[in-house]
Amino acid sequence: MSSGTRALTSLLDDSETDVYSPFEWGKSGSVEQVEPVVTSTKRKQIPANKIPPLRLAFALNVLFGCFAFLPVVNSNPRLMWSVLGTAGALFLLLIFLSRQVLRSGRKLYYEFLPKPVHYVQLMMHLSIYTYWGWYWREVYHQAPLIIAQLIFVYVLDMLVCWSRRDQWILGFGPFPIVLSTNLFLWFKPDWYFLQFLMLATGVLCKEFVTWMREGRRVHIFNPSAIALFIFSIGLIVTHSTGISWGEEIAVSFDRPPHIYLEIFLLGLVVQALFSVTLVTLSAAASLYVMNLVFTHYTGLYYFIDTNIPAAVFLGLHLLVTDPATSPRKDFGKIVFGAGYGVAVFGLYWLLGWLGAPTFYDKLLCVPPLNLTVRALDRASVWLAARFRIPSWTSGNWIPRNWTPRKMNFAYMGVWACLFAVMFTTGFVGMNHPGAHPDFWHKACVEGRGMACTSWVRMVNISCYHGSGPACMTLGAAMYEGRVVPRDLAEAGKHFAQGCELGVSQGCTGIVRLLTENGGSFFQNACDRGDAESCFLLGSLYYAGTAVPKDPARAFALLQRSCSAGWWRGCSGLGECYRAGAGTPVNNELALQNFEKACRAGIAPSCFSASSIYRGSHDLAKAEKRLREGCAISIESAQSSAAYTERGSPAKIAGAPAVCSTTGS
């Protein structure tokens, strides 16, 4: 037995010793961390835990590791090893802690002390997940992984806490961290280890990044917000947004028809209990005013298809209103909330100008605002003293005959009135004019601002996510060159996409394009390094569509496409090797190219590789590739489902017929 295992085993029954009592009760009855003070066990009775602390951590970690064997997890080897690797890391931390405790003779313990702020947020979050998931079923599909994240955070939190002090507070604290984070960002299965790292970042920042505030040592940053901030910066800098579901999450929040009303009503509960109304009110008011000014002068909508995106509306209710990391004084709350609104507005423009996804706007501004809370509270006190503002508490603008609770209800009344105006006038909610491409097309024709750019972007997104008519519309516009610059290669790509999606006009469109203009525009684009143009031209020569059939030339073009990183080109190259088109038959090279494309997320290549393995009687690999192809197909369908028509309940994404044999 190793020394670490002996240490872990020997700690099942701890001996008594002096302990740290690093918590004291705040005014609201919650427990807040303060500077450790050594006290004797005679002063504080250590509770007898039915399950020894380290045994509890060990059992929860084993439970967490068992999630690796769920079908939804073990169908993806990388996801499975992400869970197992994370469980292994927690086990090593547990061994280290066990040895440390054994050497020092400390007695660890835990107490069940739930905080209202945590379990109220839990109920709010569950309500949002339930409604949101009805309109985008990927939310429900993620449920087992979210539960795994919760167990992970519980284990990590207790281990980190016990590494610094003897007491761990058992409550609902991990729920807001995990559920808030997952409302804004998930990583895809192949990169799921980053999800655990992101949550670990929030837990560690909460524990180690602290300051003194009103005589107590407390965490500086909202744990979810700082984790989202750090990983959002990483995704932006590395141009890796595609490894996450971030954009789909932001878009899918616009699908439920009454999502704004639900968020507003749930927010009232939080505001009534924790007096954070002014933060939400000032954030919404600032966004309302800035949008009205922008629309008045331009005739356009700043956030394209809405005035306040649903995900931003959610953020100003549940992300920026954390009572522990926002100002305590009313003036500070007003500035803090308004700062959030202004920052979101400005970051949306900045991210668009940089060519980065704009949904990060709401995730990048909360931690910088958290750094201002002490200064804002000091400014509130100074202003109250300087101008002798009557108040119950220094810095709060409250009439003498009103309690702070009454004033908060008054603020809630103002917020309810503002929301009623926004909701009844269509400022937020379904059927926003900017959500319809026709509005932007008309504005583009009229030459208004950046309307053409917005129209092209909106139609292009619809085309990419499976709308054949949108592909046709954009292809025709680029072919005609009236509202957007003429680009035959891009027009051809959109016609080809429409054809693949079953729109017959797309097939005739690309034939007409090549008949009237020849294939030189694709060749020129290919020569400039456009791998997709190489692929399309190669595919046309392979099939003999609108150009003479030329397998050798098709093979050369598909080689160039694959070498340049267009993975569908690798798939086409594999077909050439398998069929002997433009090259001798070579199943080994065909398989290599299918495998390359399959690893890059091209589902048909996974199916082709499975077919070759089955032909060579390697049934285990055949089944594995078939499952991978099915998983890729379903993931792609769920991603596209986030962009489909608003207000329509989602259907569970179906897999191709070939997947019915896998039991997937």
Side-chain angles (χ1 to χ4, degrees):
M1 182 183 293
S2 68
S3 60
T5 305
R6 286 195 300 270
L8 179 60
T9 305
S10 67
L11 283 164
L12 297 181
D13 295 311
D14 298 328
S15 59
E16 293 206 5
T17 183
D18 286 350
V19 298
Y20 288 106
S21 298
F23 295 88
E24 68 178 35
W25 290 99
K27 295 178 181 178
S28 64
S30 62
V31 179
E32 299 195 22
Q33 184 182 344
V34 298
E35 292 293 340
V37 178
V38 177
T39 64
S40 171
T41 56
K42 294 179 181 178
R43 296 182 187 178
K44 177 177 177 62
Q45 183 66 37
I46 297 177
N49 299 136
K50 292 183 178 180
I51 303 176
L54 293 178
R55 183 181 290 181
L56 175 64
F58 178 78
L60 286 176
N61 195 36
V62 170
L63 177 61
F64 170 67
C66 288
F67 276 79
F69 303 102
L70 292 177
V72 70
V73 177
N74 66 21
S75 61
N76 185 306
R78 294 184 182 179
L79 176 57
M80 181 182 71
W81 283 108
S82 291
V83 175
L84 290 176
T86 304
L90 289 175
F91 183 74
L92 291 177
L93 183 58
L94 178 59
I95 292 294
F96 173 79
L97 176 62
S98 302
R99 297 182 64 180
Q100 180 193 68
V101 172
L102 184 63
R103 285 196 303 266
S104 65
R106 294 164 55 203
K107 182 176 178 61
L108 306 181
Y109 66 100
Y110 54 89
E111 292 185 85
F112 181 62
L113 296 172
K115 293 184 180 181
V117 68
H118 293 154
Y119 58 73
V120 169
Q121 286 187 74
L122 167 60
M123 291 184 285
M124 304 299 103
H125 285 137
L126 290 179
S127 299
I128 291 170
Y129 276 100
T130 302
Y131 185 52
W132 174 35
W134 183 251
Y135 289 87
W136 188 41
R137 293 303 169 85
E138 184 61 24
V139 177
Y140 295 166
H141 181 70
Q142 289 286 320
L145 293 173
I146 292 175
I147 295 171
Q149 292 175 56
L150 284 166
I151 298 172
F152 164 73
V153 171
Y154 265 106
V155 176
L156 180 63
D157 186 51
M158 63 175 69
L159 294 180
V160 171
C161 178
W162 282 328
S163 71
R164 307 188 73 207
R165 51 190 173 272
D166 296 335
Q167 182 193 40
W168 175 63
I169 299 300
L170 172 60
F172 296 95
F175 279 89
I177 297 176
V178 173
L179 297 181
S180 291
T181 302
N182 280 265
L183 282 172
F184 299 99
L185 191 64
W186 316 325
F187 285 92
K188 292 182 178 178
D190 285 352
W191 299 89
Y192 213 77
F193 68 94
L194 293 173
Q195 191 77 16
F196 297 120
L197 284 176
M198 180 165 62
L199 292 170
T201 300
V203 172
L204 295 175
C205 286
K206 179 176 181 290
E207 184 68 31
F208 293 101
V209 184
T210 62
W211 60 11
M212 294 300 296
R213 188 177 177 197
E214 297 180 356
R216 295 183 174 90
R217 181 158 293 281
V218 297
H219 54 279
I220 300 174
F221 300 109
N222 178 316
S224 302
I226 187 62
L228 289 165
F229 173 85
I230 292 171
F231 279 76
S232 295
I233 292 292
L235 290 172
I236 292 170
V237 171
T238 59
H239 305 284
S240 302
T241 297
I243 69 174
S244 77
W245 289 95
E247 193 152 15
E248 289 85 351
I249 289 171
V251 170
S252 66
F253 264 114
D254 290 320
R255 289 203 61 186
H258 305 297
I259 189 66
Y260 289 95
L261 183 60
E262 185 200 28
I263 294 171
F264 167 74
L265 293 175
L266 293 175
L268 291 179
V269 178
V270 177
Q271 293 157 15
L273 292 175
F274 308 114
S275 299
V276 291
T277 312
L278 278 176
V279 176
T280 297
L281 171 60
S282 56
S286 62
L287 285 168
Y288 182 69
V289 170
M290 288 185 291
N291 272 284
L292 288 180
V293 171
F294 181 85
T295 301
H296 175 75
Y297 283 103
T298 65
L300 304 175
Y301 300 106
Y302 186 75
F303 290 106
I304 309 300
D305 57 353
T306 184
N307 284 307
I308 301 179
V312 172
F313 197 71
L314 178 66
L316 61 88
H317 280 85
L318 295 180
L319 190 63
V320 76
T321 54
D322 176 19
T325 56
S326 57
R328 308 278 169 81
K329 313 297 184 184
D330 286 355
F331 173 78
K333 291 176 183 178
I334 293 171
V335 176
F336 189 81
Y340 178 78
V342 171
V344 168
F345 203 84
L347 283 168
Y348 182 85
W349 172 84
L350 178 62
L351 290 166
W353 181 73
L354 293 173
T358 53
F359 75 89
Y360 290 114
D361 54 359
K362 61 191 170 293
L363 305 180
L364 298 179
C365 49
V366 178
L369 287 170
N370 290 152
L371 291 171
T372 68
V373 296
R374 290 197 304 186
L376 288 175
D377 280 341
R378 286 197 300 268
S380 300
V381 173
W382 181 85
L383 285 171
R386 178 69 175 80
F387 297 102
R388 298 181 181 177
I389 299 171
S391 63
W392 281 86
T393 303
S394 179
N396 287 337
W397 299 348
I398 302 173
R400 292 187 183 277
N401 59 337
W402 278 43
T403 64
R405 184 174 179 81
K406 286 183 179 179
M407 278 305 302
N408 183 59
F409 282 120
Y411 300 144
M412 290 175 64
V414 175
W415 166 228
C417 291
L418 175 60
F419 177 77
V421 170
M422 293 193 295
F423 192 72
T424 56
T425 60
F427 186 85
V428 295
M430 298 290 293
N431 300 319
H432 188 275
H436 302 286
D438 290 346
F439 169 85
W440 293 100
H441 183 262
K442 180 181 177 182
C444 175
V445 172
E446 294 172 354
R448 284 195 245 161
M450 300 293 289
C452 292
T453 301
S454 298
W455 176 72
V456 169
R457 178 177 177 273
M458 180 177 286
V459 179
N460 194 35
I461 288 174
S462 296
C463 172
Y464 180 80
H465 289 283
S467 172
C471 298
M472 282 301 305
T473 299
L474 196 53
M478 291 186 166
Y479 178 68
E480 295 167 358
R482 285 185 294 181
V483 296
V484 293
R486 195 167 193 249
D487 189 326
L488 296 182
E490 290 299 316
K493 292 176 186 178
H494 291 296
F495 284 141
Q497 179 75 359
C499 182
E500 284 188 26
L501 291 169
V503 179
S504 59
Q505 295 92 330
C507 305
T508 57
I510 195 167
V511 170
R512 188 184 73 171
L513 186 65
L514 289 165
T515 302
E516 295 178 358
N517 301 277
S520 60
F521 57 89
F522 272 144
Q523 186 65 58
N524 293 336
C526 177
D527 293 340
R528 292 194 300 269
D530 184 349
E532 185 180 1
S533 292
C534 298
F535 166 73
L536 288 172
L537 188 57
S539 299
L540 292 169
Y541 277 116
Y542 182 90
T545 302
V547 294
K549 190 168 185 175
D550 190 339
R553 191 169 183 184
F555 178 80
L557 286 165
L558 291 171
Q559 266 190 324
R560 292 179 64 179
S561 176
C562 179
S563 299
W566 187 257
W567 305 119
R568 291 188 64 193
C570 302
S571 184
L573 193 59
E575 293 293 349
C576 288
Y577 279 119
R578 184 161 65 170
T583 185
V585 173
N586 190 325
N587 280 337
E588 184 178 344
L589 289 176
L591 182 60
Q592 287 179 13
N593 281 280
F594 287 140
E595 288 278 23
K596 187 186 297 184
C598 178
R599 288 193 299 270
I602 308 299
S605 293
C606 300
F607 300 141
S608 296
S610 174
S611 176
I612 292 178
Y613 281 125
R614 197 171 298 278
S616 62
H617 305 291
D618 191 341
L619 299 183
K621 286 188 176 179
E623 181 69 13
K624 183 178 180 181
R625 290 295 174 268
L626 183 58
R627 287 184 177 275
E628 288 179 9
C630 293
I632 291 169
S633 297
I634 293 173
E635 181 180 297
S636 176
Q638 289 288 16
S639 175
S640 295
Y643 294 83
T644 56
E645 185 178 353
R646 296 181 179 189
S648 302
K651 297 179 181 179
I652 298 175
V658 69
C659 298
S660 61
T661 61
T662 69
S664 298

